[in-house]
Amino acid sequence: MSIIAEIKNRRAIRDYAERDVEDEKINTLLDAATWAPNDRMREPWSFYVIKGEAKKRYEILASEYLQERFPTKPHLVESSLKVLKTTPVHIVAAADIVPGDEEATRDNEYAVCCAIHSMWLAARELGLGFVWRTRGVGLVGDHRMYDFIGSPENKKIIGNLFIGYPDDQAIIKLPARTPYQQKTIWL
């Protein structure tokens, strides 16, 4: 399949089969990420793989967070926790903060976004489902996630990546896209 076709066929997969993701495939995703474009070859990314016992600890943390954040929405908490429990592996992606240099820091965030997208496309090739979470169950902006990954200094979490083998029974929606012509101005 062509690269353009792969980009157009990329989907956020949220439902996973009860099957572990092999470390070899996780390593392939991480390797793909490191080939993303980045300003001045700073390679400003760090990745934190959550599986096994760490995943169980993360589920407890996420449950506490969701119940605290959405006390009047038990169905939302329940559905979020279900997704969390059926996701075999998470990878938290963080960008380097350059103290005193907001522009370099912002460039680093963009580079990590590119790295995440590279992983997403590689996941398709490996037969894996992938979704990039930033809010809610992803805990991206919450201090507890920073604590969970070891409180790294000068890091900004960009995403929590949920990865697994797609559930064959899940319905994957094909979203309509606004034609680029409606979003483009030629100068």
Side-chain angles (χ1 to χ4, degrees):
M1 189 177 288
S2 76
I3 291 173
I4 292 172
E6 286 292 340
I7 290 169
K8 289 181 177 182
N9 287 312
R10 181 210 49 78
R11 298 286 176 270
I13 306 297
R14 294 174 175 84
D15 298 310
Y16 303 108
E18 289 186 33
R19 180 177 168 194
D20 288 336
V21 176
E22 301 86 349
D23 287 351
E24 179 183 339
K25 288 190 176 185
I26 297 168
N27 290 330
T28 299
L29 294 176
L30 294 166
D31 183 56
T34 65
W35 289 94
N38 61 98
D39 186 50
R40 299 181 185 170
M41 289 300 295
R42 280 193 294 266
E43 301 180 292
W45 36 68
S46 296
F47 303 103
Y48 305 85
V49 179
I50 302 172
K51 59 183 264 187
E53 194 58 41
K55 185 178 169 308
K56 291 175 186 172
R57 291 192 324 271
Y58 176 62
E59 289 172 9
I60 294 167
L61 174 77
S63 177
E64 292 169 359
Y65 168 80
L66 289 167
Q67 289 175 34
E68 192 178 292
R69 180 156 183 227
F70 303 108
T72 62
K73 298 181 180 179
H75 295 296
L76 174 64
V77 171
E78 185 179 321
S79 65
S80 295
L81 290 174
K82 180 183 176 216
V83 169
L84 184 66
K85 289 179 183 189
T86 60
T87 301
V89 65
H90 303 265
I91 300 176
V92 175
D96 293 347
I97 295 170
V98 181
D101 193 338
E102 288 181 27
E103 289 180 359
T105 296
R106 193 169 36 255
D107 286 342
N108 289 349
E109 293 172 19
Y110 301 151
V112 173
C113 291
C114 290
I116 291 169
H117 195 254
S118 294
M119 293 171 79
W120 206 328
L121 294 175
R124 270 191 54 81
E125 183 175 311
L126 296 171
L128 297 171
F130 189 108
V131 66
W132 176 359
R133 301 241 180 209
T134 55
R135 296 183 296 159
V137 73
L139 274 79
V140 167
D142 192 82
H143 70 89
R144 287 170 276 211
M145 177 58 86
Y146 286 87
D147 294 342
F148 186 79
I149 64 172
S151 301
E153 193 172 322
N154 295 318
K155 299 285 183 189
K156 179 178 181 181
I157 297 173
I158 304 300
N160 186 344
L161 315 175
F162 286 38
I163 304 163
Y165 285 96
D167 180 349
D168 293 335
Q169 306 303 314
I171 298 170
I172 299 172
K173 298 175 187 173
L174 301 177
R177 295 289 176 140
T178 304
Y180 75 89
Q181 293 91 339
Q182 293 179 28
K183 301 279 188 175
T184 305
I185 299 171
W186 291 71
L187 304 174

